[in-house]
Amino acid sequence: HSALIKGNLSYTAPNHVVVSNSHVSGQVTYHNQTNSHSHRMWPVWWRVYGLIAIGVLALAAVALFPQAFRRWNAVSRSSYGWALLSGFLAMFIVPIIIVATFLSVVGAPIGVFLALLWLVAAILSAPITMYVVGSWIAPKLHPVLIMLIGVLVLGIVEMIPYLGPALGVLTLWLGTGILLIYLKRLYKRPDYSK
């Protein structure tokens, strides 16, 4: 069969289409479709992998250190608003301090130390927030079950477009804020008189 197209032809396919009997009076535009579906799915699979990895870390951490998570959860109950504010401010202030120590050259070792601490705090922020969320829902369960509930709830919400990334930022703020407040309460001024 022959086909006459009076105008332009634009098509998307894995390969060029060659039809000898076809005639197009205008311009033919070809768009390669190869791997377009896999490219769209890549961010979804990456987020699923990230959530599973963080979930495994969270469950392992609470199984090894349940008392630490109980203490961090107590901080969140007494200073929830301050924890969010502290985490928000720390997200800007800590990187500035780290960069300043590197720019001073002699303070570079301190910068490396602070950067490593900040990385650990950022990684711990998700498990801490997951435990806090789980304790809101079922506070009297075993710590591992509390964490599992938090992992599932935050994991499901994280998959929602637009809401997920915003929740990720709030998770960072709350978790790091809880850690900072907890460390501040633990800190005692050094006594140089002895």
Side-chain angles (χ1 to χ4, degrees):
H1 300 286
S2 62
L4 176 62
I5 300 175
K6 296 181 178 180
N8 298 326
L9 172 64
S10 177
Y11 69 96
T12 302
N15 301 306
H16 285 284
V17 176
V18 178
V19 182
S20 58
N21 292 334
S22 294
H23 179 71
V24 180
S25 62
Q27 182 179 4
V28 178
T29 306
Y30 163 68
H31 303 282
N32 191 338
Q33 184 185 352
T34 304
N35 296 328
S36 62
H37 180 70
S38 62
H39 285 305
R40 288 195 301 270
M41 291 302 294
W42 175 249
V44 176
W45 290 116
W46 178 249
R47 288 176 67 186
V48 170
Y49 165 76
L51 289 171
I52 292 173
I54 288 293
V56 170
L57 170 67
L59 290 169
V62 77
L64 293 172
F65 309 105
Q67 295 299 328
F69 281 91
R70 286 193 181 104
R71 288 192 289 267
W72 292 331
N73 189 42
V75 170
S76 75
R77 286 198 302 267
S78 63
S79 307
Y80 178 77
W82 281 113
L84 273 175
L85 180 60
S86 299
F88 169 74
L89 293 174
M91 186 177 68
F92 300 101
I93 295 172
V94 173
I96 291 172
I97 294 172
I98 292 171
V99 171
T101 57
F102 276 108
L103 291 177
S104 70
V105 181
V106 293
I110 297 175
V112 172
F113 180 69
L114 289 176
L116 290 174
L117 287 178
W118 184 240
L119 178 62
V120 171
I123 292 172
L124 279 176
S125 65
I128 291 172
T129 304
M130 288 170 173
Y131 189 86
V132 169
V133 170
S135 69
W136 290 344
I137 299 169
K140 295 183 179 180
L141 291 181
H142 189 278
V144 174
L145 293 177
I146 291 174
M147 181 66 82
L148 183 60
I149 291 170
V151 168
L152 292 174
V153 171
L154 285 185
I156 291 169
V157 178
E158 279 272 359
M159 297 306 295
I160 300 174
Y162 305 109
L163 182 60
L167 180 66
V169 174
L170 288 175
T171 297
L172 176 66
W173 292 352
L174 181 60
T176 53
I178 289 170
L179 272 177
L180 290 171
I181 292 173
Y182 179 72
L183 291 174
K184 181 178 179 294
R185 291 179 180 179
L186 283 183
Y187 177 77
K188 293 181 180 179
R189 298 181 66 177
D191 183 3
Y192 299 108
S193 62
K194 295 180 181 179

